[in-house]
Amino acid sequence: MSQLRNVAVLVGSLRKDSFNRKAALALAALAPASLKLEIVEIGGLPHYNQDLDSEPPAPWVEFRGRVNAAAGVLFVTPEYNRSVPGVLKNALDVGSRPYGRSVWSGKPGAVMSVSPGAIGGFGANHHLRQSLVFLNVPTMPQPEAYIGGAAELFDASGAIRNDATRAFFQKFIDAYAAWLEKNV
Amino acid sequence: MSQLRNVAVLVGSLRKDSFNRKAALALAALAPASLKLEIVEIGGLPHYNQDLDSEPPAPWVEFRGRVNAAAGVLFVTPEYNRSVPGVLKNALDVGSRPYGRSVWSGKPGAVMSVSPGAIGGFGANHHLRQSLVFLNVPTMPQPEAYIGGAAELFDASGAIRNDATRAFFQKFIDAYAAWLEKNV
């Protein structure tokens, strides 16, 4: 059996009953024993400002430490205005600085976008991937995950309602486990 | 002479000596008499969270009011990690909500990206334009403005150092004034 790998999960929506949070928790529950998925909260990160690099706010330091300690990074995000939510992009920016000390570089990643709409967050998914190229995050290409119709996917307890979706989530997280082992 | 138009200027960098802020102030100084450019600050906007829509934080309310009161919107932004800075994307997100009450819709816009690098923030410029399509901001196509080598552009007082750059900034803001009149 492979080594236990900690994975930092970033959720792009702050809403308490967020579909994205439910999707992230569903992935955590389905993950193989070799992966330990933990949500790293991003809502308390002050906006990135280079002037603060010399005395970084405590939430920046804690966030960078948690991502640094993880073997991989998994993004589960809604689409806001055809792109990545500002709060998630800010987390990317905070983690990428100061110059030369990015926490992202080399950490195998994956992206799932989740949306109540039909397009499944395609715009957010690919804008995020463009940043991940720059950040040197080897990002799993397949299976792509554009999860649409999210309002119907989960029951009141957050469990996935239908077998086909559950099977896809399983396939996604199993593929990510293999991607992580290959690229870590 | 045309009517005086207030333009809300959003600057994507919070750094005090930001090249983008200098560029925004230079545009304000060069603007024709028909335009009044004012920077609307975005650094104090809490991250967008749909749970707060029913009782929006005071900075959201003030920001939305200021953009609502403007005839047009001008974005001057650096590129962070090949995309829009989180802080600027968050301002877009805050202004776009609650659903059906976006402050952006129909306001003629323009984008200038400013970077110390050679590519001049092309990635940020076009990710931003993708959001502006969704937000129904008629965005000026030409002249495109990818301002590279920004560290050499301004003197200590923030004035533009060379005639060619000054002429380009003049052309840009004059074109925007015309675009605004046509689309307002």
Side-chain angles (χ1 to χ4, degrees), chain A residues 9-14 18-24 27 42 74-80 82-89 92 110-116 119-129 132 145-148 150 172, chain B residues 89 93:
Chain A
V9 182
L10 275 71
V11 176
S13 165
L14 300 182
S18 155
F19 303 126
N20 282 272
R21 184 168 293 265
K22 286 176 184 163
L27 288 171
I42 61 175
L74 177 59
F75 299 90
V76 185
T77 186
E79 177 172 297
Y80 287 179
R82 299 284 180 252
S83 184
V84 178
V87 62
L88 177 55
K89 181 55 170 48
L92 284 184
V111 177
M112 172 177 278
S113 50
V114 178
S115 159
I119 308 175
F122 181 91
N125 193 305
H126 283 270
H127 275 195
L128 178 55
R129 285 175 186 271
L132 295 176
Y146 313 109
I147 310 297
F172 179 87
Chain B
K89 181 53 170 48
D93 295 342

Side-chain angles (χ1 to χ4, degrees), chain A residues 14-17 42-51 80-87 89-90 92-93 96 123 126-127 130-131 134-135, chain B residues 14-17 42-51 80-87 89-90 92-93 96 123 126-127 130-131 134-135:
Chain A
L14 300 182
R15 192 166 69 90
K16 201 169 132 287
D17 288 329
I42 61 175
L45 293 174
H47 296 302
Y48 178 71
N49 177 347
Q50 194 184 328
D51 289 336
Y80 287 179
N81 303 312
R82 299 284 180 252
S83 184
V84 178
V87 62
K89 181 55 170 48
N90 183 61
L92 284 184
D93 296 342
S96 72
H126 283 270
H127 275 195
Q130 188 161 318
S131 290
F134 182 72
L135 292 167
Chain B
L14 301 181
R15 193 166 68 90
K16 201 168 132 286
D17 288 329
I42 61 175
L45 293 174
H47 296 301
Y48 179 69
N49 177 346
Q50 195 185 327
D51 289 335
Y80 287 178
N81 303 312
R82 298 284 181 253
S83 186
V84 177
V87 63
K89 181 53 170 48
N90 183 60
L92 285 184
D93 295 342
S96 72
H126 284 270
H127 275 196
Q130 188 161 317
S131 290
F134 181 73
L135 292 167

Side-chain angles (χ1 to χ4, degrees), chain B residues 9-14 18 20-21 24 39-40 42 74 76-78 88:
Chain B
V9 182
L10 275 72
V11 176
S13 164
L14 301 181
S18 155
N20 281 271
R21 184 168 292 265
I39 293 176
V40 177
I42 61 175
L74 178 58
V76 185
T77 186
L88 177 55

Side-chain angles (χ1 to χ4, degrees), chain A residues 36-111:
Chain A
K36 187 175 172 204
L37 272 60
E38 281 195 328
I39 293 176
V40 177
E41 300 296 344
I42 61 175
L45 293 174
H47 296 302
Y48 178 71
N49 177 347
Q50 194 184 328
D51 289 336
L52 306 182
D53 272 355
S54 51
E55 287 185 79
W60 289 6
V61 176
E62 194 203 333
F63 173 76
R64 290 165 176 163
R66 289 201 58 190
V67 177
N68 258 330
V73 285
L74 177 59
F75 299 90
V76 185
T77 186
E79 177 172 297
Y80 287 179
N81 303 312
R82 299 284 180 252
S83 184
V84 178
V87 62
L88 177 55
K89 181 55 170 48
N90 183 61
L92 284 184
D93 296 342
V94 166
S96 72
R97 286 284 170 149
Y99 183 77
R101 287 196 274 155
S102 169
V103 298
W104 307 111
S105 189
K107 294 206 189 290
V111 177

Side-chain angles (χ1 to χ4, degrees), chain B residues 4 20 29 56 95 103-104 162 170:
Chain B
L4 181 68
N20 281 271
V103 298
W104 307 111
N162 70 77
Q170 188 69 64

